[in-house]
Amino acid sequence: MLAAGLNTATIAELLPCMVNDGQTLAPSYSGMLPDLNRERERIDEAVGSLLAARDALDTIIGATVSTGVDDLEACDAIGAARLDFS
């Protein structure tokens, strides 16, 4: 159940109503389906958020300009000079 993305609190709620068929745990009655579907929706939302974050990071990576500077202090100086709006 952990591998399915369920947190321990949800597992504690659902576990008494699960049966082991020898290969996997399965709900012992269909009344658990709304809870399992809710967890699936939560995971879908988390996946969507992670994909959006990855896309944003890909954009940043793609926009990165090589200045030839590999020293962090020199990079900080370049960045500070570029941000000086006075």
Side-chain angles (χ1 to χ4, degrees), residues 24-48:
T24 186
L25 288 174
S28 61
Y29 78 106
S30 62
M32 293 177 65
L33 290 176
D35 291 327
L36 294 172
N37 284 319
R38 181 192 71 242
E39 289 301 311
R40 187 178 196 290
E41 289 172 11
R42 180 188 60 77
I43 290 169
D44 279 345
E45 289 175 11
V47 167

Side-chain angles (χ1 to χ4, degrees), residues 2 5 15-16 18 21 23 27 29 31 36 41 43-44 46 54 62 66 68 75 79 81 84 86:
L2 284 171
L15 195 55
M18 301 292 282
D21 68 4
Q23 294 180 358
Y29 78 106
L36 294 172
E41 289 172 11
I43 290 169
D44 279 345
R54 184 186 66 189
S66 177
C75 182
D84 185 8
S86 53

